[in-house]
Amino acid sequence: GQQLNQSPQSMFIQEGEDVSMNCTSSSIFNTWLWYKQDPGEGPVLLIALYKAGELTSNGRLTAQFGITRKDSFLNISASIPSDVGIYFCAGRTDSWGKLQFGAGTQVVVTP
Amino acid sequence: NAGVMQNPRHLVRRRGQEARLRCSPMKGHSHVYWYRQLPEEGLKFMVYLQKENIIDESGMPKERFSAEFPKEGPSILRIQQVVRGDSAAYFCASSPGNYEAFFGQGTRLTVV
């Protein structure tokens, strides 16, 4: 079956630092999505990527769709306390089917 | 424009009872996905439905679990004869049919 590996598993950073996380897949994806989940809440969509090589920003967040279509990364610049949470990557092999999720990256920001 | 609505937010059931989880997709969305999340884990796909059709149920346990998305009304995830191992957060996501999917706030099922 498909494997979607997300790393790192957790990150402890100081406020103001940049954060970087990535996901790799054993299969070719045609969509990459990045979500953030706060405790007790549902995942919230941060960035959607549709084309290989695509680089998309949303405020301090930047994500890229890898050229091989088997990987994606998410960067958070100048982290702030509200960036705390679990970040998930998700990918699809077709337009309509299920999203495969990574195991998540827990981000902890200290003042 | 209301988001994906799930209810109840919290559900407690005794072993052997039935659990019914409801999901109302965003307006205009005809694709619904159900996921299960155990504590400290990621989201595991269960089932993908379009109106009146089950498209992919490869993640659904073969027994006790069923899902529907009728022509009118919300999507329902039904768990019969619940066991302690069914305790989890169940999330619904909806999509208009393109690439993006938006999640509800989930139903936390506790089996006692």
Side-chain angles (χ1 to χ4, degrees):
Chain A
Q2 294 166 2
Q3 296 285 333
L4 212 167
N5 298 308
Q6 184 172 351
S7 65
Q9 188 174 6
S10 60
M11 302 187 72
F12 293 81
I13 59 172
Q14 284 198 316
E15 186 175 353
E17 289 184 339
D18 296 346
V19 176
S20 185
M21 62 196 78
N22 69 82
C23 273
T24 60
S25 168
S26 58
S27 301
I28 290 175
F29 282 177
N30 74 349
T31 304
W32 283 100
L33 304 174
W34 285 92
Y35 291 86
K36 180 182 181 232
Q37 186 177 29
D38 292 326
E41 300 295 329
V44 174
L45 182 63
L46 300 174
I47 292 181
L49 302 159
Y50 305 129
K51 294 193 303 185
E54 180 180 357
L55 185 71
T56 298
S57 293
N58 177 7
R60 293 177 297 104
L61 307 176
T62 301
Q64 184 159 29
F65 193 141
I67 291 178
T68 65
R69 297 174 63 192
K70 290 187 176 183
D71 62 328
S72 177
F73 73 76
L74 175 71
N75 284 344
I76 307 172
S77 62
S79 59
I80 60 178
S82 62
D83 290 334
V84 166
I86 302 179
Y87 292 79
F88 291 100
C89 63
R92 271 205 186 104
T93 57
D94 56 62
S95 304
W96 311 90
K98 62 189 178 189
L99 281 169
Q100 303 275 347
F101 276 82
T105 295
Q106 181 164 20
V107 172
V108 177
V109 180
T110 57
Chain B
N1 195 13
V4 179
M5 303 300 293
Q6 288 189 249
N7 67 82
R9 288 292 306 274
H10 301 274
L11 182 62
V12 179
R13 284 287 178 266
R14 295 186 183 278
R15 281 179 294 172
Q17 290 185 321
E18 177 180 287
R20 280 184 176 242
L21 288 61
R22 295 174 188 79
C23 169
S24 295
M26 290 177 70
K27 186 177 181 180
H29 289 195
S30 58
H31 301 246
V32 165
Y33 308 80
W34 285 93
Y35 288 80
R36 177 163 64 179
Q37 186 177 38
L38 294 171
E40 312 298 325
E41 293 189 8
L43 292 101
K44 302 298 184 188
F45 169 79
M46 298 182 73
V47 63
Y48 162 38
L49 311 101
Q50 294 181 23
K51 283 286 187 180
E52 300 185 277
N53 289 304
I54 296 175
I55 306 302
D56 181 351
E57 56 182 349
S58 58
M60 194 90 107
K62 292 289 185 282
E63 297 179 351
R64 303 187 298 107
F65 285 72
S66 62
E68 63 176 13
F69 189 16
K71 187 176 179 181
E72 302 290 337
S75 175
I76 306 288
L77 179 67
R78 182 181 177 207
I79 311 172
Q80 294 178 289
Q81 299 176 326
V82 295
V83 300
R84 288 238 171 95
D86 297 333
S87 295
Y90 292 83
F91 290 98
C92 163
S94 77
S95 169
N98 62 11
Y99 300 88
E100 297 175 337
F102 299 90
F103 281 82
Q105 292 188 300
T107 294
R108 272 102 187 134
L109 172 66
T110 302
V111 179
V112 297

